[in-house]
Amino acid sequence: MTERVVRYLADTGYLICFGAIPGGQRLFMLAFSGTVAASPTIRFELGRKHSDWKTEHHVKTAINTFIGKNHNVLLDVTFHRRDEPERDNALAYMRSAGSLPTEALMSFPVTADGHDPGTPDTQKHGGEAEIVAIAARRLLPLLMNDRDGTDYAAARRLEVESFARSLGRLLGPHTPNELFQIWKRVDANHDTGAVVPGPQFFRQPGPSPTARIARASGLA
């Protein structure tokens, strides 16, 4: 069996979108060949949402794709203390929805204990900020629908792929029209990261959200 290597980091909302598809686990593995990882806070968020009595049944069903007996669908990745400054900087931006801190364009020094496990932040945007920080260190692409998280990642020159765009990976086994119908079903209940005007969206790959935002903001 080929060893599974982390090549992508996924956010909670993105994963719920894939879980919302009938047969989503199979399609997720088909799209990414088992190379997607979840950070500690993303694991926590999935579990918290699933156990919360206020979470709707269809969302809990989607989360089942990635927890419990399906835990190994996702790989694990470590959040280090050296990731905390980047994570905190991303959080400041996401929680304020204000201007991008200048520190976002800087490199943070690694302290002597920087390789120790970091302290998670499980409040709002904690998961998105955590995977952005890990991605900045490891230069990994992000699977994420969150707009504020995508904006911050753009300033860090990190690649971000939304769920809507990821459906294009299934072109071949599925026709553009089938993918459009899948997107409509999921988008009815979840943020899929993009507006899909029709089946043609899946015929030609467009610019990544990060590239588009970077151009619009003058960063590219």
Side-chain angles (χ1 to χ4, degrees), residues 81-152:
R81 291 190 68 173
R82 58 181 164 162
D83 297 321
E84 289 178 355
E86 181 86 71
R87 185 272 314 275
D88 294 345
N89 204 50
L91 276 173
Y93 172 75
M94 294 182 201
R95 289 176 178 172
S96 68
S99 60
L100 192 69
T102 56
E103 291 83 357
L105 304 179
M106 298 169 55
S107 295
F108 296 100
V110 179
T111 59
D113 59 357
H115 293 270
D116 293 341
T119 302
D121 187 318
T122 56
Q123 301 304 307
K124 185 177 181 181
H125 293 304
E128 295 101 312
E130 185 172 276
I131 60 172
V132 166
I134 297 171
R137 169 169 54 87
R138 298 188 56 170
L139 301 180
L140 291 170
L142 293 156
L143 304 175
M144 182 166 59
N145 300 329
D146 182 81
R147 181 167 298 178
D148 289 334
T150 298
D151 286 352
Y152 186 89

Side-chain angles (χ1 to χ4, degrees), residues 33-186:
S33 303
T35 60
V36 179
S39 71
T41 298
I42 298 300
R43 294 277 195 190
F44 173 82
E45 288 179 353
L46 289 169
R48 179 176 60 186
K49 280 182 175 291
H50 190 268
S51 61
D52 190 341
W53 65 271
K54 293 181 291 186
T55 301
E56 296 176 276
H57 177 73
H58 72 274
V59 175
K60 291 189 176 188
T61 299
I63 292 172
N64 280 334
T65 302
F66 303 104
I67 68 171
K69 67 179 182 179
N70 297 318
H71 178 276
N72 290 333
V73 172
L74 298 169
L75 297 169
D76 289 311
V77 67
T78 303
F79 176 70
H80 294 297
R81 291 190 68 173
R82 58 181 164 162
D83 297 321
E84 289 178 355
E86 181 86 71
R87 185 272 314 275
D88 294 345
N89 204 50
L91 276 173
Y93 172 75
M94 294 182 201
R95 289 176 178 172
S96 68
S99 60
L100 192 69
T102 56
E103 291 83 357
L105 304 179
M106 298 169 55
S107 295
F108 296 100
V110 179
T111 59
D113 59 357
H115 293 270
D116 293 341
T119 302
D121 187 318
T122 56
Q123 301 304 307
K124 185 177 181 181
H125 293 304
E128 295 101 312
E130 185 172 276
I131 60 172
V132 166
I134 297 171
R137 169 169 54 87
R138 298 188 56 170
L139 301 180
L140 291 170
L142 293 156
L143 304 175
M144 182 166 59
N145 300 329
D146 182 81
R147 181 167 298 178
D148 289 334
T150 298
D151 286 352
Y152 186 89
R156 272 315 212 177
R157 302 293 201 277
L158 298 172
E159 180 182 348
V160 181
E161 182 174 305
S162 68
F163 167 77
R165 184 58 69 188
S166 290
L167 285 177
R169 293 173 175 270
L170 302 173
L171 188 62
H174 292 271
T175 66
N177 188 61
E178 288 172 338
L179 296 177
F180 182 53
Q181 297 306 315
I182 290 173
W183 174 81
K184 286 204 300 184
R185 175 172 178 162
V186 176

